[in-house]
Amino acid sequence: MNAADQSSSAAAGRIRILDAATVDRIAAGEVIERPANVVKELVENALDAGARRIDIVLEEGGRRRILVEDDGGGMARDELALAIERHATSKLRNAEDLARIATLGFRGEALASIGSVSRMTLTSRAAGADAAWTVRLEGGRREGPAPAALAKGTRIEVRDLFYATPARLKFLKSERSETAQAVDVVKRLAMAHPAVAFTLGDGRRTLFHAPAFPGDEISARAERMAAVLGRAFLENAVGIDAARDGVRLSGYAGLPTYSRGNAQQQYLFVNGRPVKDRLLAGAVRGAYTDFLARDRHPVLALFLDIPPGDVDVNVHPAKAEVRFRDPGLVRGLIVAGLRHALAEAGHRAATSVSTAALGAVRPAAAPALPWGRAAPAGRSSPGLMEAAARYQAPPTDRPEGETMAPAARVEDAPEEEADAAAFPLGAARGQLHETYIVAQTADGIVIVDQHAAHERLVYERMKRALAASGVARQMLLLPEVVELDEAAAARLVARADEFAELGLVIEPFGAGAVVVREVPALLGQVDAAQLVRDLADELAEFDEGLALRERLAEVCATMACHGSVRAGRRLTVEEMNALLREMEASPHSGQCNHGRPTYVELKLSDIERLFGRH
Ligand code: ADP
Ligand code: MG
């Protein structure tokens, strides 16, 4: 049982108004700036009340209506009236309690704050009570309590957020962006509470849905991870369970090959509370340094369970930052726990799969294809290699619902292709799982990761085009408006000239958005919005002073990734052979670092050994 699970008992105490001395010691500040903040506070309250099911509705990104219903312990008539007062809480008694907070809430401010900037209705039925009660707050004025109908738990409806404060309304972003932020908040809380069922909708559609899983703690958490982050994450992650001096670290750490361009997919929890914490983020970075390029970030979900007295959550009113009594202990546990788990993963992969087969499968030769036109000495900057390697989609990126059965297309090769076997990468014989090309060479077989290979080729073409005459552009029929946050849009626009040189023409479109007019022609059909968003992510991490040309590798690789044949696309034999021939002609086409080749080769003699023919 972790600290968060104990919270229901703490919340069951009576609500009272905190004394002035305690109030003075609580991190002060307004936390309700947008719908996502309201959702967070209300869902946290439901979790603190021991809910097993939480249903959330957001209309117009939460601006028009937010509804949170739970089946938790509820509130009695008098409590209902008290709950909406400032500094009224059932979760703290006195200042000493602040030193060992075991609930998500403790400030006693959320309901009062929300009620002062919206039209709020609270309906609740205390466990065991024979009736439900409701109170209404509008611009801080209360009506009720009045009798109401509700079978169990609490139902809080927040309408017309900020209706009386147009200045704050103006700070809200598009409906889509506000919705996305609220969904993120719910997903994070849902990850930490796998025993609780969540639904989130916008009144018409379900945006997120995570049933409670009736299994043991470990499988429940795994199911929840899959519901939130997708099965692919689980398949590309290792489980962690480590403890030291009463602190427990558990969760899942993504394999280095499953990394991302920013740290947004790192989910860190302390006692069931989602946190954004420098110390934790730094420890994660430290643990992965040996496995990842500096500008790559692992995907992971780590849960730290620590005695409430050893961590201070009263640092900031949003309760997203924490301070540890013994930061060294926590850091050490994370670094050691992650390193150990990652090392184990490598070992497991090497023993559970047939060692013989793995030993025989040779990744492409390291520096360049021996027959390829080698890159001029000194020009093969390692940055370029890394850049191309990291955008390779993991093989589990198959579209949902696709079967595991080989989708091989072993067609009779046309005659002229019989000779293709004489080429270093051979003649394409088929495609497996719509991801791998299998080719026959004179003395073996070659398996190519089509996405990785194509991406590398697009990238090399782009570099060549740039060196020669600049990149050809292709006008979008419909210019695409991409919404970003203001800082990201400004960063992109500041570099518009440099992007234009690379074939991407963008212009400012109000604050917080850009319009894409042209894209590099050699990318073909490309999701311009996603491309621009990825580039914005990347720019956020670039050194201001550096010209894009100096970061060409990263920028080109990002673009190349968007222009590549995805894993999961069917190729004709001609397309496959064309890809193989182009790989042979391109420098670096077999290459990448972090042990991710674009192809592997298996010699006949190796295969014979596998079957004991030697
Ligand atoms: P805090 O959570 O910091 O105590 P809030 O203003 O969020 O402050 O809530 C005030 C009090 O109202 C809580 O301490 C709790 O007793 C009660 N409360 C709020 N939401 C719920 C709920 N969904 N179910 C039961 N009690 C609730
Ligand atoms: Mg609260």
Side-chain angles (χ1 to χ4, degrees), residues 41 44-45 48 91 105-106 108 110 319:
E41 295 295 336
E44 285 187 354
N45 280 347
D48 281 343
K91 304 168 196 176
F106 59 88
K319 302 171 290 184

Side-chain angles (χ1 to χ4, degrees), residues 586-600:
S586 296
H588 313 308
S589 67
Q591 197 182 37
C592 73
N593 67 345
H594 304 130
R596 286 182 51 84
T598 55
Y599 74 94
V600 293

Side-chain angles (χ1 to χ4, degrees), residues 527-567:
D527 179 346
Q530 196 50 49
L531 170 62
V532 164
R533 272 191 212 106
D534 281 6
L535 288 171
D537 278 356
E538 215 157 76
L539 276 188
E541 290 170 17
F542 281 9
D543 182 349
E544 289 289 313
L546 227 47
L548 277 187
R549 272 194 173 268
E550 288 163 49
R551 300 300 296 247
L552 200 60
E554 282 83 348
V555 177
C556 284
T558 303
M559 294 204 191
C561 178
H562 284 268
S564 305
V565 180
R566 286 270 153 209

